[in-house]
Structures are given as C-alpha cells and as structure tokens.
Amino acid sequence: MSLTSRITHHASRFTHHTSRFTFDILLVGVGGQGVLSIGEIVAEAACRRSIPVNLYPIKGMAQRGGFVKAQVRLGREVTGPNIPQKGADLVIAMERSEALKAVRFVRPGGDFVLFDHVWVPMAVMLGKADYPTPEQVSEQIQEAGGRMHYLAPESLPLYKGVPVPANIFVLGAAVGHTRLADVLSPSDIVQIVQTKWTRGMERNVFAFQAGLEAPIQES
C-alpha cells in the first residue's frame, strides 16, 4: 500500500471535533528519545484543526537518560498543566520504567502505548532497586482499566539500513491504533514532519507510515 493510500485509509477515522471536545495526552520517556518532539507535532496538528491546545514540557536531568515528560491538553482554551491521576485519554511511554510511573494517569478505558525501550537507572545498576518487567507494566495497566498497545524495540523498521526515529514511529503507531486518529489528521502530521525536518524528511515520513501499520500487541 502506498503512503498516500495508507494516509487516506487512516484519515477516514478522523473527525473534526467541536470546542467542547477534550483529550488529554501524557508523554513520558528519557532524554534523547524525542519525547518533546512528539508533543510539539501533536500540538501543531491540533492547531491546524483549530483545536485549542496547551503543551506543558517537563525535563528532569538535562542529559541523555534523564526523565522527560510532556502533557498535551486538547480542547480547552485555558487549563492547568497537570493531568490528574486517571485523567489521561492517551499515555505514550517511550521507556519501560517511566511507563510504570505513568500508569496511574491513564483513565479507565484509555489507551496506553508502550515502546519497550530499556534504560537501566544507576540505582538498578548498583543493586538498590529492581527494574520492572514488561509483564509487571502490563498488569498495572490492566488493573488501571487501560488498553495496552505494546511495541517491542525490535519492531523498529530500517530505512536504507538505518533504524528509523523511534519517536516518529511510535507517534504513527498511536495514530494508527488508538483514538488519537479520531482527534488529529494523519495527513496534517505528515506535512508537519516534512517541514520540521527537511534533512531526513523521507526517513521520518517512512517512520510515521510504518508506525501506522506497525505490528502491535494489544491487551
């Protein structure tokens, strides 16, 4: 299936909501994964559809491996930065241990996308803490009433022999497999990706396209 036909297929799910519609997204991961870029793309895509958007990025340690979080709140002209516990319609987690910390924010019936990247903290390396297993994360999501969408790092496709950017791939998976496609237009996201990175544009568009059709495990 061509890029155009894939985008058209997924665009059929898109609905332009009124200003009364609200949708809260929590993004978590570690430094260097492009978590904030996901938030920026989502925010711009919302603006293109005249959906009120508030983006609140938070960084931990200013280095690769420090925690990174962004909260994207759609459909409200003015709102606070903190999504309440059990209040996120969608959680996208780019790292396993940060995913476990974020479980308490997914609302019952909400979507939880986990890209199961492993970044072992120093406390775990020193034997002072345990690192969660995928099963533990899955159990917690199910107990919270969320729907888990699992992406193994091995599912990251190659473009000309090089792995595609994981953040754009995961964003594509979220659009392809969650209610995010009912909020934002996939074609808008492609246009944003094309203009955001003129260098490597084809690779990023390929990553998003691959994410739309990614083999994802759901529970």
Side-chain angles (χ1 to χ4, degrees):
M1 186 183 293
S2 68
L3 171 60
T4 301
S5 59
R6 289 188 184 197
I7 296 301
T8 301
H9 168 71
H10 287 278
S12 65
R13 293 177 51 192
F14 168 72
T15 303
H16 190 185
H17 293 278
T18 68
S19 60
R20 298 175 65 91
F21 174 82
T22 62
F23 195 86
D24 286 335
I25 306 167
L26 176 64
L27 310 169
V28 298
V30 296
Q33 289 190 298
V35 171
L36 300 186
S37 291
I38 297 176
E40 292 167 358
I41 293 169
V42 169
E44 185 172 343
C47 288
R48 290 189 177 207
R49 294 291 161 174
S50 300
I51 299 173
V53 57
N54 293 271
L55 170 63
Y56 301 98
I58 300 173
K59 294 183 180 180
M61 296 175 63
Q63 62 183 29
R64 185 174 293 270
F67 82 86
V68 178
K69 178 171 72 173
Q71 301 181 79
V72 188
R73 312 198 70 181
L74 306 178
R76 304 173 181 86
E77 294 292 347
V78 179
T79 188
N82 294 320
I83 297 172
Q85 292 189 25
K86 299 183 179 181
D89 298 283
L90 170 63
V91 177
I92 298 178
M94 297 288 294
E95 194 275 336
R96 189 190 301 169
S97 64
E98 293 300 325
L100 190 62
K101 299 174 188 176
V103 169
R104 68 183 187 274
F105 291 100
V106 68
R107 69 169 178 80
D111 292 300
F112 197 111
V113 177
L114 170 60
F115 180 71
D116 196 27
H117 174 74
V118 172
W119 182 276
V120 181
M122 184 59 67
V124 175
M125 293 182 184
L126 296 175
K128 297 180 179 180
D130 295 325
Y131 195 81
T133 66
E135 292 75 20
Q136 288 173 322
V137 178
S138 177
E139 289 173 4
Q140 291 291 321
I141 293 171
Q142 291 183 32
E143 289 179 9
R147 289 188 298 270
M148 180 176 174
H149 309 269
Y150 179 87
L151 286 164
E154 296 77 23
S155 66
L156 198 65
L158 302 179
Y159 180 77
K160 295 184 178 180
V162 179
V164 300
N167 60 335
I168 305 303
F169 174 71
V170 173
L171 175 58
V175 172
H177 296 275
T178 77
R179 294 187 182 94
L180 189 58
D182 299 330
V183 183
L184 303 179
S185 165
S187 60
D188 283 348
I189 295 175
V190 168
Q191 292 173 12
I192 293 165
V193 168
Q194 289 173 329
T195 57
K196 189 175 180 66
W197 294 285
T198 53
R199 293 183 60 185
M201 177 188 67
E202 293 180 354
R203 185 168 70 108
N204 283 292
V205 171
F206 176 85
F208 181 74
Q209 173 188 358
L212 289 174
E213 304 293 340
I216 200 165
Q217 300 176 34
E218 300 185 351
S219 60

